[in-house]
Amino acid sequence: MKTKAPKRKDERPTVHLIGNAHLDPVWLWRWQEGFAEAKATFRSALDRMTETPGYVFTCAAAAIYEWIEESDPAMFREIRRRVGQGRWAVTGGWWMQPDCNIPCGESLVRQGLCGQRYFREKFGVTCRVGYCVDSFGHAATLPKILRGCGMRGYVFMRPQAHENAEIPPLAFRWMADDGSDVTALHVPDAYCEWTVEGLERKIPRNVELAARTPLKGEVFVMYGVGNHGGGPTKAMLQAITHWRKRPGMPRLVYSSPERFLEVAESRRLPVWKRELQHHARGCYAAHSGIKALNRRTEQGLLAAEMWGSAARMAVGKAPVPRSLARAWKHVLFNQFHDVLAGSSIEAACRDASDQLGAALHEAAVAHNSAQQAVSWQINTRGDGTPLVVFNNQPFGFEGAVDLGDLGFGETGHDGSGPPQTLADNAGRPIPCQRIEPDSICGRLRFAAKVSLPALGYVVLRKRTDVARDPTRRLLGSSAVRAKGLRVENDKLRAGLDRRGYLVLYDKVRRRRVFGNAGGIPLVIEDTGDTWGHGVDAYRKVLGRFRRVEARLVEPGPLRGCISVRYRWGDSLLQLDYLLGAGERLLTVRGRVDWREQWKLLKLAFPMPFRCETWTAEVPYGTAVRPTDGGEEPVQQWVDFAAAGHGLAIANDSKYSCSAEADEVRVTILRSPPYAYHLPFQAADISQHVFLDQGPQAFRLALIPHDGDWRGAGVIEAARRLNRPPNTVTETFHKGKLPARAGFVKCSGKGVYVEAIKECEDGGGLIVRAAEWHGRRRAARFALPALGRTWTANFRGGEIKTFLIPPDRRGKVREVSMLEE
């Protein structure tokens, strides 16, 4: 009897073919065109499945699926059927493929929260792989955000080997500062392939690359027409069918990122614990308007959610209107890498501004509604018109607060009128000062020194019955004094050198903060494209803005302000230096009217000491970088410190900085043409529209300190700059709330509450907190209005999410970022 020969093992390399389209919903086209292309691409993908057995199509970004669901329900049902068959791979888990350096950490969490919940609701799928193949760089903190959103893998392409040769090829374990890790899949060659010939060359090239890695005989290859949609073509799929029969070819299997993740996870991979940079360094300063709107809208939405939650705790008001969910989707959509990076065409950028403006308005409406619901329930009876000052941060502070127009009414054109002052609810006067008005029509604007509880409020009283202003006496030695073009308090002295640049002296430490002067406006050559391709640093200084005039605007005693106007060519710059009583920081208020092309504006801060590294805030963490002058993405602050000396610089809208061994430079703006990509050249590029032309405004805060940033209050100062207090003028009425209250407490150095919101499923509140100092510690939390307290132990850099059930007897539970 003959025995059947055993089947020989197929020892050929295996190529996982990942068919995709890389559909940019916005770039060299507007979103309306992207919408139409999404429908065409998805139709094509479905038709190819009918023609080709086993073919699998991969697509990320929940926002694009929602377009199809709303515009073509029948096609959406067809996609859902193919997902169930394993033929259509839903991946990514995020609402959009965003820039991965510029959104704040909480925005990246919301990408996962919105995206994963959508995919689960519509397809019954929880994505296990993050997917940002075209984003220009990736913060080192992403693995902990991906893990928190249910993903254990991450597909990316940039930077490529020629941009950062140290990054392991094809696959590695990427670990965040808290120890969380994901399996990173580094796309070889490109995320798409447009021709059959290109795919035929690509396959053996990537097989050879995999042989030199722990993957050995397995590799993934991405193919399909992309950027403007398309996907795998009939010709490609026919060629693959033919190649499968060709002797000597590798095993070709239709696959997906999730399937290849299982292969990679079975191998012993190298570990990477750093950022994934750099591809295009210039994009972090391109289009200041989009970036400033992004920051304002992020902060506005977070404040609206916090105060909606506080209103629910305090007075039982529904916490957040449903419109905020739509507003968040606008923000997440416009964090797409070609929008937030400022690399889209002008019309697409206008669309983004419109959408972000709509989201910002929704946030403002919800924020105001919640705060006025609280203020209406405060017992405001007493002497003097009540004014409620709200703290929009989940930590307390005391300092000078710009109260805006207090509604005292009009005065004479010379500023005359009855004396006004402020008192606390018990009638005790508080330091108060009239400051620069918003208009020339006689409305009064004030600042006051106020002590505010965390996410809380305090009632002040507007009085006109005090003949003498007690502010200087109340402030004592901390009061601001002015002389000529110099202002000082008990801690800092600010003035100008002969060129009109800032001289800052630390009176406590008895040293100059800068080498000679700081805040030097440098005009630097920038002839690169919109992305800054091929540029590592911007160093060629063409000139400096020169002083036109300087004046003392506010003489104290609560706040002093020196205003300086500069000119360079046809451009104007105004820098106002504001110093508050007793403050350890100097605020810089900037206004620029930019009329230059092919140039970049930086503010330079030369230091009297040298550093080998500097620190920057990144999404939900920090990054330490070498002082090599390279342009780098940052969030709300950077710190430059060595040998016990330090200066932190916070910003309200600027995402790009550089640092040499003895100087920090904050990038204010760039002015290449819109969507100009080397090596493409126009016949007459001067006819194109250039970025950042005209007026814009920004704020910085300069924070001298000893030691490093952890003990200097840098995080708190940066957050106050980005989300300052605001006021509501009330009338007299009864109420159940006291004249002062706070709605959250967090004790644990280095641990900060990041978000307070309604649970997505209703029936409770979500509190998210993060450890920022990189050290293990315990923290205690309280929501006084609910009588809730709990404690938690944090790893260094860890993010935790807590669910507070509505039933006071229910236990506070730690949940995932998906609120499970």
Side-chain angles (χ1 to χ4, degrees), residues 168-172 184-188 206 209-211 213 215 218-220 260:
L170 293 181
F172 55 91
L185 304 179
H186 195 176
V187 177
N206 291 332
L209 175 63
T213 76
L215 295 175
E218 304 219 31
V219 68
F220 68 101
F260 191 77

Side-chain angles (χ1 to χ4, degrees), residues 325-344:
R326 180 172 63 247
W328 267 115
K329 286 183 178 180
H330 284 323
V331 173
L332 302 180
F333 181 90
N334 286 290
Q335 288 177 340
F336 179 68
H337 52 269
D338 278 316
V339 176
L340 193 50
S343 50
S344 293

